[in-house]
Amino acid sequence: MPTSRDVVFVDGVRTPFGRSGPKGLYAETRADDLAVRVIRELMRRNPGLPPERVDEVAIAATTQIGDQGLTIGRSVAVLAGLPKSVPGYAIDRMCAGAMTAVTNVAGGIAFGAYDVAIAGGVEHMGRHPMGEGIDPNPRFLSEKLVDGSALVMGMTAENLHDRYPEIGKERADAYAVASQEKVAKAYANNKIQPDLVPTAIRTGALGWGLATEDEPPRPGTTMEGLASLKTPFRPHGRVTAGNAAGLNDGATGCVVAAADVAAELGLTAKMRLVSYAFAGVDPEVMGVGPIPSTERALRLAGLSIEDMGLVEINEAFAVQVLAFLSHFGIADDDPRVNPYGGAIAFGHPLASSGVRLMTQLARQFGERPDVRYGLTTMCVGMGMGGTVVWENLAWEGAK
């Protein structure tokens, strides 16, 4: 049996995220072409990685039909020009698709099945709305296995407000405003742009163009503006388009490798995977998923939440983040949490978001040699959570 090897995150990139719909950035762009763009950029940025040394391509998509079908990991590997000897496959764990792609290939690397892999995700929610083509088994409701609200993510967020009444709409709106402000500041300080892949787009009568920045952020968002938004999931509810992530299009990808192989190839590893965990919760309150997954991942790592100097949590809904922070005794405005802002501003193209979290954490690690550990975490549709604990390879204590 091979011994376990250290697994490292070498590099991560993403396309700019777009708003879904006929007027969005990628309305006339194929989903698989977004993923191809990411893979090509990873190879360009890492010239020390020979294409034939890529052992696997794992790409996630929640809706695996149309241009997100055809075993998308394999199809985009071929389209990106990788050798046809490089295999690939598709993954679906809804919002945690890209996160699962990373943990899957990491397990293979640790075991010795792979040396280097590319993992990521893509979601074109404009072409493939959430739930397109699905046929939920009637037993879910007839046998009361889940409440009907479990199948509508916005309703699960309203349920979470019921469970945590201290998290009212005003607190959720305040968190959303802060997320928008942090994203605007990160852009102003050039924290986001280095890991964005300029992506060719076609916009009807305007012809060809280039997407170079995220479309969803709304700088200048105010509490007054959010207060006036409708609550579409419940009359007089608390969840709005302003304190939740939108419907978005985009792709992410990263290079993951064995630590010794990265060194052999001259690749600069940014962080080491310490532990990971996924957990299930009641689907009706899927937003609490990151709580048990984080508790388990920390337990496996022999660490505590106090050891985490940085936390990247996906902002599917403000209430879901606030429930996590409250559980762990973390203040709403703790500077460790989403320093560059989150999905309420950036957007959340479902299966792609896990690697966005990792890419941002890796960049923050490079700026913070005083921080040794951080985590990436997210809630997942149908009642799950996922968490990965990372070690900063630029940590000053290692020198």
Side-chain angles (χ1 to χ4, degrees), residues 6 38 50 68 104 110 141 180 226 232 246 289 351 364 386-387:
D6 279 346
V38 164
Q68 290 182 181
N104 277 12
L141 301 184
Q180 296 281 358
L226 295 186
Q364 292 155 18
T387 302

Side-chain angles (χ1 to χ4, degrees), residues 245-286:
L247 304 178
N248 306 106
D249 310 328
T252 64
C254 66
V255 175
V256 185
D260 58 338
V261 174
E264 170 202 335
L265 296 174
L267 303 174
T268 302
K270 297 179 174 68
M271 51 190 190
R272 179 180 71 88
L273 196 156
V274 179
S275 69
Y276 68 87
F278 295 91
V281 297
D282 290 338
E284 296 84 356
V285 284
M286 66 95 193

Side-chain angles (χ1 to χ4, degrees), residues 119-143:
V122 62
E123 207 76 51
H124 198 308
M125 300 178 76
R127 284 174 173 260
H128 308 294
M130 188 188 310
E132 181 187 17
I134 66 168
D135 179 19
N137 195 302
R139 291 180 52 236
F140 278 124
L141 301 184
S142 65
E143 298 181 14

